[in-house]
């Protein structure tokens, strides 16, 4: 395989995780373990020399970190995600709010007198919450549903959604929900009120600048709705190759807030359609999910090539995939797909090396997490 310039920067390892966002107003309105950090986007903006007036695309925008950081910089951005839940979270975080209106709507909501609301929750929800939390939840959901202003209504819905972890027996543990009985669960109405107040306060803490932000619910394997050469930069992180199905750990959020619109077939990797699959690497012995992954990523990369301007740059965070037979070098193989599509690979920046085990004990090897830095050359045209 062709050699690429590989640089090791383990000091950047934390930046490609969500951890630094946990303390940041607005960025932390929803804990999305699969997200990267504001500071990663800021670093890429610095490396690329992104300036006001530019357009940045994140085709896997998750909880909206890229568009939000671009809003801080005053840079135009578009975020795409196939998950209605993630798009909802992004929308609430990047919106411009009328603070006065939000405060008034919050006061009216807090002034509502509690009354029991009859709701027939499914098995999962009943198992996840104590009775008193379910009563508060039903009441709050009904009252929030009556809030006329869409911006306020969705703001309260996100506040309620992200208050739930504190009153739940369900814990997000890796790729599954674990149920743990807790002695004391605080009242949801109190947690929710505190959360709304904090979120309103957050809006005064971050300085956002004027820019355009577009969000779209779509599958990034098919970017045909975007014009040719309409973006200057791409900053993104697609789902990792053999991550477990992480939509499972957000099943409570989906069931309560996104019920009708959830495509249950969606998996953490970007799509598995074995019937129509072509293998971009027939010479390698890859597991079937890896073939599907590269088949899909090829479609994404070809789309990115078309929508990027000449001279446009891409920063993509990826990780190697671990399988019982060994490690799949995702960064190198994606680099090849980038080159096959016309891009040139500037360098691969390795930021983490994780020990991978089989059956939790047997060490298979170390999987790299890397930032791929590629560009659409001017001279290729
Ligand atoms: C690693 S996360 C991105 C996290 C993001 N950087 C952030 O900071 O929140 C990958 C995202 O890709 C989305 N996704 C998966 N398949 C997709 C597809 N085919 N098209 C668009 N988005 C997809 C998932 O819903 C998930 O939100």
């Amino acid at each position: 395989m062709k050699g690429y310039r590989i640089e090791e920067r383990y000091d950047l390892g934390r930046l490609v995780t969500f951890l630094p966002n946990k303390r940041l107003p607005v960025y932390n309105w929803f804990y999305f373990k699969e997200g990267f950090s504001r500071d990663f986007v800021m670093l890429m903006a610095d490396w690329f020399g992104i300036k006001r007036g530019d357009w940045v695309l994140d085709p896997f925008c998750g909880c909206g970190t890229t568009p939000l950081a671009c809003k801080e910089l005053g840079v135009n951005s578009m975020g795409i995600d196939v998950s209605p839940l993630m798009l909802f979270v992004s929308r609430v975080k990047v919106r411009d709010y009328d603070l006065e209106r939000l405060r008034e709507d919050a006061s009216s909501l807090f002034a509502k007198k509690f009354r029991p609301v009859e709701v027939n929750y499914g098995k999962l929800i009943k198992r996840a919450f104590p009775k008193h939390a379910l009563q508060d939840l039903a009441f709050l959901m009904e009252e929030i549903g009556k809030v006329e202003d869409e911006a306020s209504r969705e703001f309260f819905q996100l506040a309620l959604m992200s208050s739930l972890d504190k009153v739940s027996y369900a814990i997000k543990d890796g790729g599954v929900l674990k149920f743990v009985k807790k002695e004391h669960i605080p009242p949801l109405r109190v947690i929710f009120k505190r959360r709304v107040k904090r979120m309103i306060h957050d809006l005064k803490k971050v300085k956002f600048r004027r820019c355009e932000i577009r969000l779209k619910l779509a599958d990034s394997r098919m970017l045909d709705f975007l014009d040719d050469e309409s973006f200057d930069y791409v900053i993104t992180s697609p789902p990792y190759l053999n991550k477990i199905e992480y939509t499972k750990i957000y099943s409570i959020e989906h069931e309560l807030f996104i019920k009708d619109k959830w495509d249950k077939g969606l998996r953490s990797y970007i799509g598995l359609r074995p019937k129509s699959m072509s293998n971009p690497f027939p010479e390698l012995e890859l597991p079937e999910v890896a073939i599907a992954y590269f088949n899909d990523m090829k479609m994404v990369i070809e789309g990115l090539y078309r929508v990027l301007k000449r001279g446009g740059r891409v920063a993509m965070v990826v990780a190697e995939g671990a399988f019982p037979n060994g490690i799949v070098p995702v960064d190198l193989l994606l680099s090849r797909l980038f080159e096959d599509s016309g891009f040139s690979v500037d360098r691969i920046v390795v930021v983490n090396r994780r020990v991978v085990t089989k059956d939790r004990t047997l060490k298979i090897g170390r999987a790299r997490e890397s930032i791929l830095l590629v560009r659409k050359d001017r001279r290729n045209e």
Side-chain angles (χ1 to χ4, degrees):
M1 196 177 301
K2 182 184 162 185
Y4 294 102
R5 195 178 139 207
I6 298 186
E7 196 179 296
E8 298 190 346
R9 287 289 307 268
Y10 299 112
D11 55 312
L12 302 181
R14 225 176 109 83
L15 290 198
V16 301
T17 73
F18 192 77
L19 289 179
N21 288 355
K22 279 177 81 175
R23 291 184 315 143
L24 295 179
V26 189
Y27 289 89
N28 66 7
W29 284 1
F30 183 83
Y31 178 62
F32 188 45
K33 201 166 154 274
E34 294 74 24
F36 50 42
S37 68
R38 164 205 181 267
D39 296 348
F40 169 70
V41 181
M42 293 304 183
L43 183 70
M44 293 306 109
D46 185 43
W47 283 5
F48 288 161
I50 298 178
K51 53 190 184 323
R52 297 190 80 171
D54 287 339
W55 273 94
V56 174
L57 171 67
D58 187 345
F60 302 98
C61 73
C63 70
T65 313
T66 304
L68 201 59
C70 286
K71 192 177 177 190
E72 266 193 85
L73 293 169
V75 167
N76 304 321
S77 67
M78 175 158 197
I80 300 171
D81 205 287
V82 79
S83 154
L85 171 65
M86 297 327 297
L87 211 78
F88 164 75
V89 172
S90 295
R91 186 166 67 240
V92 177
K93 283 162 73 177
V94 303
R95 196 173 251 147
D96 289 320
Y97 289 94
D98 173 349
L99 264 180
E100 254 338 284
R101 170 103 208 215
L102 207 50
R103 278 201 200 96
E104 276 169 27
D105 284 342
S107 305
S108 332
L109 189 61
F110 299 154
K112 298 277 187 244
K113 211 169 147 18
F114 175 78
R115 70 200 140 68
V117 172
E118 196 60 45
V119 178
N120 217 350
Y121 287 116
K123 231 163 84 190
L124 171 70
I125 305 298
K126 277 191 193 144
R127 188 175 173 209
F129 301 100
K131 249 202 172 105
H132 66 83
L134 286 179
Q135 284 169 350
D136 279 358
L137 180 65
F139 166 71
L140 286 169
M141 294 266 285
E142 179 161 291
E143 289 305 329
I144 293 172
K146 289 186 207 159
V147 174
E148 219 174 90
D149 180 59
E150 190 187 28
S152 300
R153 189 170 62 246
E154 292 196 340
F155 183 90
F156 299 140
Q157 277 164 346
L158 183 63
L160 182 60
M161 189 191 285
S162 52
S163 302
L164 292 181
D165 279 348
K166 288 223 159 58
V167 300
S168 176
Y169 297 135
I171 294 174
K172 295 180 172 82
D173 181 29
V176 289
L177 281 180
K178 219 167 74 187
F179 292 84
V180 182
K181 272 277 171 227
K182 293 180 197 159
E183 283 299 308
H184 175 68
I185 295 243
L188 176 58
R189 267 178 295 160
V190 175
I191 303 284
F192 169 72
K193 189 170 172 180
R194 241 186 254 152
R195 183 93 192 159
V196 168
K197 284 186 170 171
R198 211 206 72 202
M199 281 169 60
I200 292 178
H201 186 64
D202 278 356
L203 287 170
K204 289 181 291 185
K205 290 207 271 190
V206 192
K207 272 236 161 330
F208 290 119
R209 301 189 194 193
R210 274 176 105 61
C211 58
E212 256 191 79
I213 303 177
R214 296 185 195 147
L215 293 175
K216 185 151 171 88
L217 182 68
D219 183 338
S220 284
R221 289 172 298 175
M222 284 155 278
L223 294 174
D224 22 335
F225 54 91
L226 296 177
D227 289 338
D228 291 0
E229 307 200 343
S230 45
F231 290 92
D232 302 277
Y233 302 98
V234 172
I235 301 176
T236 197
S237 173
Y240 288 176
L241 169 54
N242 63 340
K243 268 269 178 109
I244 18 67
E245 197 173 334
Y246 60 58
T247 43
K248 255 192 202 145
I249 62 169
Y250 299 106
S251 50
I252 291 176
E253 288 84 349
H254 274 113
E255 184 148 341
L256 288 172
F257 297 92
I258 316 281
K259 216 171 192 166
D260 307 327
K261 296 167 256 162
W262 184 29
D263 171 6
K264 286 198 161 68
L266 180 73
R267 294 179 63 103
S268 61
Y269 49 84
I270 70 169
L272 182 62
R273 299 160 304 121
K275 279 190 196 124
S276 60
M277 206 161 68
S278 78
N279 183 356
F281 303 110
E283 70 284 11
L284 304 176
E285 262 182 48
L286 293 173
E288 198 187 23
V289 286
I291 297 172
Y293 183 79
F294 290 116
N295 169 79
D296 286 346
M297 284 307 291
K298 185 168 185 281
M299 292 168 77
V300 173
I301 290 171
E302 285 170 355
L304 294 182
Y305 189 81
R306 186 182 62 76
V307 304
L308 260 185
K309 292 180 191 167
R310 294 158 197 218
R313 317 267 297 265
V314 180
M316 183 180 274
V317 180
V318 300
E320 289 185 313
F323 291 90
N325 294 340
I327 304 278
V328 175
V330 172
D331 47 3
L332 302 181
L333 294 177
L334 286 180
S335 295
R336 249 179 70 184
L337 291 184
F338 270 111
E339 292 205 322
D340 292 348
S341 304
F343 285 100
S344 27
V345 177
D346 282 340
R347 63 189 200 279
I348 298 172
V349 183
V350 180
V351 292
N352 277 316
R353 261 179 204 276
R354 297 217 167 91
V355 174
V356 184
T357 54
K358 185 182 167 188
D359 303 331
R360 288 182 185 258
T361 49
L362 190 66
K363 188 173 153 187
I364 302 177
R366 280 174 183 270
R368 287 191 297 263
E369 196 170 16
S370 324
I371 310 167
L372 304 185
L373 295 168
V374 311
R375 73 171 75 222
K376 175 170 171 176
D377 279 337
R378 288 176 209 281
R379 60 182 151 78
N380 278 358
E381 307 306 314

